Amino acid sequence: MLSGILSLIPSGMPQQGSTTPVSSNYTSTQTSTAGTSNASQPVLYALSLINQVRSSYGLQNVSLSGERSGQQHADSMLQYGYLSHWDIYGMKPYMRYTLLGGTGAVEENVAYIRNESCSLLGCRGTINVDSAIRSMEDSMLYNDSQCCNNGHRYNILNPNHNQVSIGVAYNSSTVYLVEDFIDNYIAWSGGTPAYSNGYVSLSGSAQSGYSISQVLVSYDAPVSNMSAAQLWNTSSYSYGQEIAGVASSPLYYYQGIETIDANRYSINGQSFSISFNINKQVSQYGPGEYTLMVWLSNGGSGENSTFVGATYTIFINGSGGSYTPKFV
């Protein structure tokens, strides 16, 4: 049996307590290996395992998101035969998340198991989907330090995650599992986030108990198609290169990155309205992916008190205009 897991690995990540074996009384009737069109039962099983362990640590359950980013990526990996956070178009999870309509922030776990028995008559797959999901989930929780610096475990036990988009794709010998954990705390208004002719607009309201902390801009080089061999050689991912931060007033500036003076930066309790121009950054860095990172504060202290609560990726072409890349 072959297996593998990859994860986004945050910096300064803590180890979160001792582990406790997880038991489940969930029984799935979906053990067929006839494709990926009906993944509802495996997805619900994976969700039950996630929430059981979160409950054992006193964390809020995550709800199943209606966004299809998890299933889309699981299907892609099975179809093209790779394991990676990137995809065949060279996109990272947060880029796909924007293109699929996501407006929160996403952190991704991916894993796979392959089981084939071979003889003189050839190889024949025999795999139980539920058992594979349970095995991958256990590995991400209890055997993650050597391969991934506990990145998967951190995602599963992150107290700020409140949703998850799960994807399960399989055939007779292989099961892929994707867990796109989502922080969804903002109700957007006025068709935002939005970008037009260099101007970014963000308006809406944060959930009670949360407020806008800062807005950063990151940059990735232009996406390009990747082969399965290239994708197998990738590991963890980041939000690209942080290049600028948005200041609410000329009295403030960012150290180490460029400061963008906002055209509008209004925060009234949980409500906010922010607009700014990134033409200077586009002129400096050229074509590529510019990702807005909206940081939230939950009013607490410690490592989890501020976090990326929403991202929005803008794709810029060689002429400086925005475009929608080829995708799925």
Side-chain angles (χ1 to χ4, degrees):
M1 177 180 292
L2 301 175
S3 63
I5 48 180
L6 296 171
S7 176
L8 168 71
I9 303 177
S11 61
M13 178 174 49
Q15 295 186 7
Q16 304 212 8
S18 60
T19 60
T20 303
V22 180
S23 62
S24 173
N25 59 7
Y26 180 93
T27 302
S28 172
T29 58
Q30 180 69 38
T31 57
S32 167
T33 56
T36 63
S37 61
N38 181 7
S40 59
Q41 291 300 320
V43 164
L44 292 175
Y45 181 49
L47 178 66
S48 73
L49 295 179
I50 292 168
N51 281 333
Q52 283 178 44
V53 74
R54 286 179 67 90
S55 294
S56 73
Y57 279 83
L59 303 175
Q60 65 173 339
N61 282 358
V62 289
S63 61
L64 192 61
S65 169
E67 294 154 348
R68 55 185 290 264
S69 61
Q71 190 61 52
Q72 183 277 329
H73 192 48
D75 289 342
S76 174
M77 290 192 292
L78 179 66
Q79 179 178 354
Y80 295 101
Y82 67 92
L83 180 72
S84 178
H85 292 296
W86 280 260
D87 61 23
I88 60 169
Y89 303 104
M91 295 188 200
K92 299 179 186 179
Y94 53 91
M95 300 174 188
R96 295 191 296 270
Y97 183 67
T98 291
L99 290 174
L100 290 169
T103 56
V106 64
E107 293 185 356
E108 181 174 89
N109 287 351
V110 298
Y112 94 116
I113 282 181
R114 184 181 181 192
N115 188 2
E116 278 187 337
S117 57
C118 298
S119 67
L120 293 176
L121 299 178
C123 294
R124 182 177 181 180
T126 54
I127 197 163
N128 180 285
V129 178
D130 282 1
S131 296
I133 292 171
R134 178 60 177 267
S135 178
M136 288 184 281
E137 196 69 27
D138 284 351
S139 292
M140 288 190 287
L141 278 165
Y142 308 128
N143 190 28
D144 199 45
S145 59
Q146 184 173 357
C147 90
C148 305
N149 196 28
N150 283 321
H152 297 90
R153 179 178 172 83
Y154 177 85
N155 273 341
I156 295 168
L157 297 177
N158 188 323
N160 290 317
H161 295 331
N162 58 2
Q163 294 182 346
V164 63
S165 174
I166 298 175
V168 180
Y170 57 94
N171 56 29
S172 61
S173 63
T174 307
V175 180
Y176 281 94
L177 173 65
V178 177
E179 298 170 342
D180 279 352
F181 287 97
I182 296 169
D183 299 333
N184 190 359
Y185 294 93
I186 295 177
W188 297 97
S189 62
T192 66
Y195 173 81
S196 179
N197 297 320
Y199 285 91
V200 172
S201 300
L202 307 169
S203 63
S205 59
Q207 197 174 105
S208 178
Y210 297 84
S211 59
I212 301 294
S213 171
Q214 61 180 345
V215 178
L216 301 179
V217 181
S218 70
Y219 171 79
D220 286 280
V223 295
S224 60
N225 291 352
M226 298 178 70
S227 67
Q230 290 174 310
L231 290 163
W232 275 108
N233 287 322
T234 61
S235 55
S236 61
Y237 71 97
S238 71
Y239 280 109
Q241 176 189 357
E242 290 182 3
I243 60 172
V246 181
S248 59
S249 161
L251 298 176
Y252 299 98
Y253 68 94
Y254 287 82
Q255 293 184 337
I257 58 175
E258 192 164 3
T259 298
I260 300 174
D261 291 326
N263 300 92
R264 178 177 174 83
Y265 202 111
S266 172
I267 296 180
N268 183 9
Q270 276 71 53
S271 298
F272 62 90
S273 179
I274 301 169
S275 63
F276 55 95
N277 190 299
I278 62 169
N279 275 332
K280 181 179 179 181
Q281 287 69 40
V282 171
S283 296
Q284 181 178 352
Y285 290 90
E289 293 71 59
Y290 294 80
T291 298
L292 315 176
M293 305 166 63
V294 180
W295 284 72
L296 296 178
S297 171
N298 59 21
S301 60
E303 183 177 11
N304 293 309
S305 61
T306 59
F307 58 97
V308 180
T311 65
Y312 183 76
T313 299
I314 304 160
F315 297 83
I316 300 295
N317 59 27
S319 61
S322 62
Y323 75 103
T324 301
K326 177 184 177 183
F327 180 65
V328 304

